[in-house]
């Protein structure tokens, strides 16, 4: 499966920079790594309460088109430039903190307390990339980095560089878990996940040993802990991490510790909605509080359920998911609508109403200009919905995963892969109604640098979401040009998927290799696809193809068999429930999984976004433009424009009647907005008044 190839590694220079020696570009023959069994992203292959299993990172590979281009950019550009940035910059330091903690150099801890966790995400992205590329220089870089991390770890397993460096520098007040905002649990959670993946990809145990020691430290520290100690778990990546470590090592203590920490959450006396610990998890029915914390918590609960079957973990997830999808998610898949808010749900007493931030609002509270929608919250939605799907095999969860992945997650990174959004609003105006904390343009670095390495690992692992398996079937989830090589019923099955998705709904899947046994191909019918046509070897199939379901084709497949799907992708004009005040009488546009927006770059100079009106009967024509924004399908049609309205300082005035003029508009995918300089942008556009009957 893994062949040798001649490749110039993008890491030739970087692996040397990492160790402060003179940089010179190394040209290498990419070496073939020892072949290991499939390296799944979340290894639920033995989980007793899962319907569907993940495929290996090395089993599904993009071969062309949308995701292949993004993966290639990741391999050749994004990953090397982030390695360079995280070696340590003037703004912050990531790897450098580990080098100081390891005693290899001197200094003080710098950067946000969650930097270690974000550095581990980069190592996870690198490991996932390695599964596909076999890049020997990248692998060597990883091994050297892991050596330093292992040296930095305390003998008892504790690892968190701000505390370790302060201890090394003689600060006797520096001790573990003194402040929940130290993010130690978040950092170590990402360590566990990254180390499990590294082990599966390389077969090595060096990083896994660091993870085990860290988990053993946590086990010793929290086995008999008080409920108060569970409050350390802000941004709880550690439930996913501990379950993954259990799956990797089969050490039951790690699973027991994850359960224990989850139970402790419910016993906190004065918790709050911002951290989802005001009431015990089993009584929660609404998504609340900080959206990254929330989605990581829900993903962790689903992971724990897959291993334990504990209904108290599963029962809340259904109502919470429905609450998000029907009341609290932006049309882009973005989660966490509010920059700042309050949670009055717990009490009528004004004194005890608590602050929330970067948070799910209350029902239908979905502002556009001030939408927070942290990129990590969208990725958290991907992680959560993936686990909901693995547990149930239900297509509706992949619908939400797809929506978040193609829109509100990818909008977090520029097309060149080196500039990032922390927040993902649905409208930007000039001037803004209020100034906001985070940048209106993508930037190479922000103090809260959690999202960039998170989007890197998501792109690196994206092919894993395209497929899944059950005992006698392959599940096709995402459509994109790729190959899959896996085993079903002990026999190798190879599939090749050809498609221009997401720009075009025609998909052709060819069976390249298979055994004689009957097995199923389960093809996802997205929630947006109505009137799907399916052919096997040219013959039209009479199958039920309800949106948000799977079509199952059970047969004794033969090499050369061809399945063709036609997923209609009409332009869809969308409106929101009128209870969403911020989008009243406005229209958004979707085509397939892609949400569109209007940008200043496509408007005549002087035309404001708010003056463009969309007739409800607008005819928008889809056209692929290979030169625009890396190659996208744009939508063109005739809208109406009001004359530029001049407002002074008044808040209200009498309606000014003005005739509108026809205006040709071009809509572009939301995920690629802000790649052509600044300007205004909106997903929701005001609806033109209906023509009065004559
Ligand atoms: Zn983030």
């Amino acid at each position: 499966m893994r062949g040798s190839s001649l490749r110039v590694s993008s890491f030739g220079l970087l692996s040397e920079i990492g160790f402060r020696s003179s940089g010179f570009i190394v040209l290498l023959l990419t070496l073939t790594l020892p072949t290991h069994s499939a390296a799944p992203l979340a290894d639920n292959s033995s989980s007793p309460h899962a319907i569907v299993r993940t495929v290996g990172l090395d089993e599904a590979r993009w071969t062309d088109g949308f995701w292949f281009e993004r993966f290639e950019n990741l391999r050749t550009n994004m990953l090397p430039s982030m390695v360079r940035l995280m070696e340590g910059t003037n703004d912050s330091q990531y790897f450098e903190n580990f080098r100081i903690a390891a005693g290899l150099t001197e200094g003080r801890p710098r950067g946000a307390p969650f930097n270690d966790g974000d550095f581990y995400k980069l190592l996870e992205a690198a490991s996932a990339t390695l599964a596909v590329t076999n890049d020997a220089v990248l692998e060597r870089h990883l091994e050297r980095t892991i050596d330093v991390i292992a040296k930095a770890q305390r003998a008892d397993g504790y690892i968190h560089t701000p505390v370790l460096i302060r201890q090394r520098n003689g600060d006797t007040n520096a001790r573990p878990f003194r402040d929940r905002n130290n993010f130690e649990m978040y950092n170590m959670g990402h360590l566990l996940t990254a180390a499990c993946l590294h082990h599966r990809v390389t077969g090595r145990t060096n990083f896994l040993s660091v993870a085990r020691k860290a988990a053993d430290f946590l086990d010793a520290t929290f086995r008999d802990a008080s409920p108060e100690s569970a409050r350390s778990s802000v941004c709880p990546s550690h439930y996913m991490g501990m379950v993954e470590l259990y799956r990797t090592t089969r050490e039951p203590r790690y699973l027991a510790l994850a359960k224990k920490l989850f139970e402790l959450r419910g016993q906190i006396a004065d918790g709050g909605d911002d951290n989802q610990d005001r009431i015990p998890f089993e009584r929660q029915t609404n998504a609340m509080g900080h959206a990254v914390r929330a989605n990581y918590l829900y993903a962790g609960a689903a992971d724990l359920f897959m291993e334990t079957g504990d209904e108290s973990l599963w029962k809340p997830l259904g109502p919470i998911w429905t609450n998000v999808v029907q009341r609290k998610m932006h049309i882009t898949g973005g989660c966490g609508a509010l920059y700042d808010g309050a949670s009055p749900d717990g009490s009528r007493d004004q004194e005890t109403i608590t602050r929330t931030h970067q948070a799910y609002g209350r029902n239908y509270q979905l502002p556009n200009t001030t939408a927070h929608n942290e990129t990590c919250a969208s990725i958290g939605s991907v992680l959560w919905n993936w686990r909901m799907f693995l547990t149930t095999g239900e297509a509706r969860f992949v619908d939400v995963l797809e929506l978040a992945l193609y829109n509100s997650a990818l909008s977090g990174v520029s097309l060149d892969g080196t500039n990032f959004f922390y927040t993902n609003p649905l409208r930007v105006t000039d001037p803004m109604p209020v100034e906001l904390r985070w940048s209106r343009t993508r930037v190479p670095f922000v103090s809260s640098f959690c999202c960039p390495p998170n989007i890197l690992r998501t792109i690196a692992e994206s092919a894993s979401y395209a497929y899944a398996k059950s005992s006698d079937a392959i599940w096709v989830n995402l459509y994109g040009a790729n190959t899959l090589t896996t085993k079903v019923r002990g026999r190798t099955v190879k599939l090749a998927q050809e498609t221009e998705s997401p720009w075009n709904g025609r998909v052709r899947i060819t069976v390249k290799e298979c055994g004689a046994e009957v097995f199923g191909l389960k093809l996802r019918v997205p929630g947006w696809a109505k009137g799907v046509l399916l052919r096997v070897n040219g013959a039209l199939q009479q199958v039920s193809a309800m949106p948000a379901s799977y079509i199952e084709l059970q047969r004794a497949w033969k090499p050369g068999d061809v399945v063709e799907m036609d997923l209609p992708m009409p332009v869809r004009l969308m409106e929101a429930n009128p209870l969403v005040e911020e989008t009243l009488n406005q229209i958004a546009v979707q085509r397939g999984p892609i949400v569109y927006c209007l940008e200043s770059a496509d408007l005549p100079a002087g035309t404001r976004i708010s003056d463009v009106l969309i007739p409800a009967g607008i005819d928008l024509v889809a056209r692929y433009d290979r030169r625009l924004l890396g190659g996208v399908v744009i939508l063109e049609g005739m809208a109406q424009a009001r004359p530029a309205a001049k407002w002074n300082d008044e808040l209200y005035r009498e309606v000014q009647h003005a005739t509108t003029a026809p205006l040709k508009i071009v809509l572009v995918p939301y995920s690629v907005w802000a790649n052509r300089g600044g300007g205004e942008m909106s997903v929701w556009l005001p609806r033109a008044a209906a023509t009065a009957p004559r």
Side-chain angles (χ1 to χ4, degrees), residues 121 292 374-377 422 448-452 454:
K121 286 181 210 162
V292 182
E374 184 179 336
T375 307
C376 283
Y422 183 63
S448 196
F449 204 62
C450 47
C451 308
N454 217 4

Side-chain angles (χ1 to χ4, degrees), residues 587-605:
I587 288 174
V589 181
Q590 283 184 273
R591 180 174 178 272
I594 305 294
V595 177
Y596 281 80
C597 69
L598 179 64
E599 277 197 285
S600 293
D602 296 309
L603 287 175

Side-chain angles (χ1 to χ4, degrees), residues 15 47 332:
S15 59
S47 304
T332 55

Side-chain angles (χ1 to χ4, degrees), residues 372-430:
H372 192 279
N373 288 349
E374 184 179 336
T375 307
C376 283
S378 293
I379 294 168
S381 175
V382 169
L383 297 170
W384 175 29
N385 279 287
W386 181 240
R387 285 157 176 78
M388 298 295 280
F389 161 71
L390 295 173
T391 310
T392 61
E394 292 180 24
R396 60 185 171 134
F397 299 118
V398 186
D399 277 348
V400 182
L401 179 155
E402 179 186 67
L403 182 73
L405 192 59
Y406 279 90
N407 300 289
S408 56
L410 276 186
S411 62
V413 60
S414 61
L415 279 169
D416 72 2
T418 56
N419 287 277
F420 304 94
F421 273 136
Y422 183 63
T423 63
N424 295 276
L426 279 78
R427 175 178 292 156
V428 167
T429 58
D430 187 15

Side-chain angles (χ1 to χ4, degrees), residues 340-356:
D340 305 287
S343 181
D345 293 318
S347 172
R348 292 177 187 157
D349 174 6
Q350 292 286 326
E351 295 295 315
T352 56
I353 290 174
T354 56
R355 181 189 80 115
T356 60

